[in-house]
Amino acid sequence: DVKVTQSSRYLVKRTGEKVFLECVQDMDHENMFWYRQDPGLGLRLIYFSYDVKMKEKGDIPEGYSVSREKKERFSLILESASTNQTSMYLCASRPRELGDQPQHFGDGTRLSIL
Amino acid sequence: RKEVEQDPGPFNVPEGATVAFNCTYSNSASQSFFWYRQDCRKEPKLLMSVYSSGNEDGRFTAQLNRASQYISLLIRDSKLSDSATYLCGNTGGFKTIFGAGTRLFVKA
């Protein structure tokens, strides 16, 4: 089974702090993704990466950056946290092959910015 | 228009009922399609992929209509444990685009 592990289930930070969310997958997947999920808005893609050191902006990249130094690890960084970044953050991975390969999600990080 | 649209529900059905969800998508180049189940405060988990010819997994049936650009999920003989949010997703290239989900409540 694919295992996607996020470093924290719950996190509370203060406005202006730099926040790191870590994600590790154990299936040698090339593609990794960061989403946030808010009520009524569904899953929104923040950034994704299709290889080590490669990154692409998703639909809502403002206020975020990412790092992919190793294949198994994809980090999301909130450079200066703001209250509107309070959300559920979900990491996902899938193999490179196009076609019917679904994404597998980590169990999420509930982030509160005070 | 959103890329993927779902009726948010909620759908309230009694145990044993048959319930159907639809999901429309706008990207005609989409290559693969999925249904995920998400329980409250949990992550989405893959329920089933959707194949062109339609596919079935126990009480669940998924269908794809490329001409009309929608996928459907049919749940037969609903159980209390089917209560969840159901997300559809479609992939074109690297990205999967998800709908906002349809909430299902199955009542005793």
Side-chain angles (χ1 to χ4, degrees), chain A residues 33 37 45 94 99 103 106, chain B residues 32 36 38 43 51 94-95:
Chain A
F33 307 83
Q37 187 176 32
L45 182 64
R94 66 187 277 261
Q103 293 187 359
Chain B
S32 40
Y36 283 78
Q38 185 173 24
E43 76 277 19
Y51 302 120
F94 291 108
K95 298 192 298 183

Side-chain angles (χ1 to χ4, degrees), chain B residues 18-82:
Chain B
T18 295
V19 61
F21 307 135
N22 280 340
C23 170
T24 59
Y25 62 94
S26 60
N27 182 4
S28 59
S30 296
Q31 298 162 310
S32 40
F33 304 85
F34 309 98
W35 282 103
Y36 283 78
R37 171 198 169 119
Q38 185 173 24
D39 293 298
C40 190
R41 304 181 78 83
K42 300 277 191 175
E43 76 277 19
K45 293 186 178 178
L46 181 69
L47 179 65
M48 57 197 306
S49 300
V50 186
Y51 302 120
S52 297
S53 55
N55 48 298
E56 190 173 301
D57 183 1
R59 297 181 293 108
F60 300 86
T61 301
Q63 293 195 312
L64 166 64
N65 185 318
R66 282 194 185 272
S68 300
Q69 295 187 201
Y70 75 85
I71 63 173
S72 63
L73 177 68
L74 184 77
I75 306 175
R76 290 181 300 277
D77 190 22
S78 300
K79 311 291 184 191
L80 295 176
S81 58
D82 293 333

Side-chain angles (χ1 to χ4, degrees), chain A residues 39-104:
Chain A
L41 297 177
L43 285 162
R44 293 183 291 167
L45 182 64
I46 305 170
Y47 267 96
F48 67 100
S49 169
Y50 53 88
D51 208 342
V52 176
K53 296 192 186 294
M54 306 302 289
K55 58 186 178 184
E56 293 285 340
K57 292 180 180 179
D59 300 316
I60 51 163
E62 296 78 19
Y64 304 94
S65 62
V66 290
S67 173
R68 184 110 183 257
E69 295 297 317
K70 293 185 178 181
K71 191 175 186 180
E72 67 270 18
R73 186 179 298 268
F74 191 35
S75 303
L76 179 69
I77 303 152
L78 285 66
E79 297 290 345
S80 177
S82 63
T83 54
N84 63 11
Q85 292 178 309
T86 291
S87 187
M88 167 77 134
Y89 289 86
L90 288 156
C91 175
S93 74
R94 66 187 277 261
R96 181 194 299 282
E97 299 85 43
L98 299 179
D100 58 349
Q101 297 298 319
Q103 293 187 359
H104 297 271

